[in-house]
């Protein structure tokens, strides 16, 4: 029997990890455990929250958020509204299509149709670490149609004839998010026709060959609720489960060895009930410390603009294993685009630096004449409540204002544009420009799809949001 060098190395790594668990988990102090728990929580929050969403979308058929089974495409023939609660800060600009990819058995083949050149679309490839590891669409592959092969970490073959490009994932499961531009409500049937051209096949089906033996069935672990993810030590057991499908990459071998000291790692299990009170408290405190670290990042670097949305989303290589930035991206808007595809100037405070709260103030966002966001595609501003970061039900069913709506908006006397942001109507004369807010705290991201260079290099500045 021939054993590959890769398997030998993986086995040795596994033995080393188990040895560390056996030796160090006994001797680790509560102080050290707390510090490791903080690091593991910051590292793992995006992984665990992604799993919560994937479980609701592709596993739990009883979930109101269930979409379809693995390796099938689901087309939403509408935009997101306040009724959608699984994904925080989803956009309401583009009807979505989703594929939950299980690449353990064989690769999948994607066919993208020819789409009229005026219509923006994108396909975002997200691994189970929440890295954006590839893109297709208007910006990258164009609107003339293409055929792509998506492979997991174990597939090493060459691409068959007819495949334009091979895209490889670090993880065995991948989440694909398609965004198809909707110009206006009357355009929805056209979007449906575009969506009907998005196709996914197994490689064997594409080649007309027998399918290989399927990968083993998975005993899916029930995810924690959003609230429990923030405090429960069981968080680490969910992380352990998900990491079974995320092979350790070379740059994280030492990190995984450190996490193993508290029982965190692929296939490991923390018996929460048997933990000493001191050790359980240490792990809970480590989780709380992770949230404090994020809060500090938000109050300092993000609030000052030193860290922007463009720093929070991207590939592993782009993020350089900055796990705090990845954590911030997942909390502020999981599945956000990489900056070349979209950037997100954030409104979390007004021009005076005060948190936004429509129970206390009315606000305006004004674009000076000729100072709209510079885009190749389009832009929008969308309302979300706090702390949930979900869309807000309102009497006019409006969740955003975007550039396709400009012909219907009322311009200022000088040609500029004022958007009124408040919980009550600003009056009949101004209601066309009203973005309804909740009766309480909120925040607004601006979305700039396929930004031009002046949006990326800081030449163009987003306007401030001011109190009336």
């Amino acid at each position: 029997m021939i054993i590959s060098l890769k398997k030998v190395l993986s086995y040795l790594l596994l033995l080393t990890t188990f040895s560390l668990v056996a030796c160090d988990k006994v001797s680790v102090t509560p102080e050290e455990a707390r510090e490791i728990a903080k690091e593991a929580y910051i590292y793992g929050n995006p992984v665990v929250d992604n799993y919560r969403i994937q479980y609701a979308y592709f596993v739990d058929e009883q979930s109101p958020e269930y979409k379809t089974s693995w390796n099938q495409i689901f087309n939403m023939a509408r935009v997101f509204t306040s009724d959608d609660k699984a994904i925080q800060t989803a956009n309401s600009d583009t009807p979505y299509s989703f594929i939950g990819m299980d690449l353990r058995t064989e690769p999948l083949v994607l066919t993208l149709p020819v789409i009229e050149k005026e219509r923006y679309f994108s396909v975002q490839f997200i691994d189970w670490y929440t890295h954006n590891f590839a893109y297709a669409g208007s910006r990258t592959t164009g609107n003339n149609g293409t055929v792509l092969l998506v492979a997991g970490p174990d597939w090493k073959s060459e691409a068959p004839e007819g495949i334009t490009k091979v895209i490889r994932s670090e993880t065995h499961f991948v989440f694909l998010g398609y965004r198809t531009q909707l110009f206006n409500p009357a355009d929805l049937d056209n979007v449906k026709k575009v969506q009907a051209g998005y196709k996914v096949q197994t490689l064997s089906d594409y080649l007309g060959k027998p399918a290989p033996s399927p990968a083993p069935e998975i005993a899916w672990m029930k995810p924690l609720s959003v609230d429990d993810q923030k405090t429960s030590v069981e968080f680490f057991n969910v992380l352990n489960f998900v990491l079974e499908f995320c092979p350790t990459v070379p740059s994280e071998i030492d990190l995984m060895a450190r996490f193993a000291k508290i029982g965190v790692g692929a296939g490991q299990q923390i018996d929460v009930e048997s933990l000493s009170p001191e050790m359980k408290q240490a792990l809970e405190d480590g989780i709380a410390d992770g949230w404090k670290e994020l809060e500090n990042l938000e109050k300092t670097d993000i609030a000052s603009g030193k860290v922007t949305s463009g720093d929070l989303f991207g590939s592993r290589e782009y993020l350089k294993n900055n796990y705090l930035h990845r954590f911030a991206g997942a909390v502020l808007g999981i599945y956000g685009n990489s900056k070349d595809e979209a950037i997100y100037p954030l409104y979390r405070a007004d021009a005076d630096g005060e948190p936004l709260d429509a129970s206390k103030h009315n606000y305006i966002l004004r674009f000076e004449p000729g100072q709209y966001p510079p885009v190749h595609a389009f832009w929008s501003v969308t309302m979300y409540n706090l702390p949930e970061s979900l869309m807000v039900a309102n009497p006019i069913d409006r969740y955003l204002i975007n550039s396709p709506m400009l012909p219907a908006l009322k311009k200022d006397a000088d040609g500029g544009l004022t958007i009124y942001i408040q919980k009550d109507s600003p009056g009949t004369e101004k209601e066309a420009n009203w973005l309804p807010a909740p009766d309480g705290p909120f925040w607004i991201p601006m979305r700039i799809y396929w930004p031009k260079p002046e949006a990326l290099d800081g030449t163009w500045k987003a306007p401030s949001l001011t109190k009336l």
Side-chain angles (χ1 to χ4, degrees), residues 30-196:
E31 292 76 18
E32 186 180 6
R34 177 174 178 169
E35 182 61 28
I36 296 172
K38 181 187 83 168
E39 295 171 14
Y41 188 83
I42 291 171
Y43 174 93
N45 177 278
V47 179
V48 171
D49 200 43
N50 169 71
Y51 177 69
R52 175 186 62 81
I53 297 166
Q54 302 297 288
Y55 183 91
Y57 274 18
F58 306 115
V59 177
D60 184 6
E61 296 183 19
Q62 306 307 311
S63 169
E65 301 290 345
Y66 181 77
K67 306 304 180 193
T68 187
S69 56
W70 298 106
N71 297 340
Q72 303 295 318
I73 191 165
F74 175 83
N75 293 313
M76 288 185 69
R78 61 176 180 83
V79 291
F80 268 56
T81 71
S82 58
D83 293 331
D84 298 285
K85 302 186 186 303
I87 298 180
Q88 56 269 36
T89 62
N91 88 54
S92 192
D93 295 299
T94 61
Y96 280 100
S97 302
F98 298 124
I99 303 175
M101 291 186 156
D102 178 354
L103 301 173
R104 294 174 302 146
T105 299
E106 59 177 321
L108 296 180
V109 176
L110 304 179
T111 300
L112 302 179
V114 176
I115 299 173
E116 67 268 37
K117 65 179 182 179
E118 296 82 12
R119 189 182 303 277
Y120 167 83
F121 85 106
S122 69
V123 186
Q124 180 183 6
F125 295 74
I126 309 162
D127 67 23
W128 269 24
Y129 294 110
T130 69
H131 296 128
N132 299 332
F133 66 95
Y135 273 93
S138 301
R139 179 182 65 86
T140 51
T141 56
N143 285 31
N144 293 326
T146 191
V147 182
L148 308 170
L149 183 144
V150 188
D154 294 339
W155 191 79
K156 306 302 180 187
S157 303
E158 295 298 319
E161 188 175 348
I163 300 295
T164 305
K165 184 179 180 181
V166 174
I167 297 173
R168 299 180 185 273
S169 168
E170 288 183 353
T171 60
H172 292 290
F173 287 84
V174 169
F175 182 44
L176 256 62
Y178 295 62
R179 295 171 174 87
T180 308
Q181 184 176 6
L182 176 72
F183 295 122
N184 53 59
D187 184 44
L188 188 57
D189 284 343
N190 296 321
V191 169
K192 291 179 183 178
K193 292 176 183 177
V194 172
Q195 290 178 325

Side-chain angles (χ1 to χ4, degrees), residues 292-356:
K292 289 176 184 175
E293 191 89 359
L294 176 62
E295 183 181 3
N296 183 59
L297 178 74
E298 289 183 322
K299 288 182 175 180
T300 55
D301 291 354
I302 293 178
S304 68
K306 181 179 178 181
V307 172
T308 69
S309 67
D311 300 308
L312 306 181
F313 306 104
S315 65
R316 178 185 294 280
E317 293 74 22
Y318 176 78
L319 292 176
K320 297 181 174 63
N321 283 356
N322 188 320
Y323 307 118
L324 183 59
H325 283 185
R326 191 173 73 187
F327 179 21
V331 171
L332 293 175
I334 194 167
Y335 309 140
N337 278 297
S338 302
K339 70 176 184 179
D340 289 335
E341 199 67 45
I343 58 172
Y344 309 94
L346 305 179
Y347 295 98
R348 298 183 72 84
D350 62 28
D352 299 322
E354 296 180 4
L356 305 176

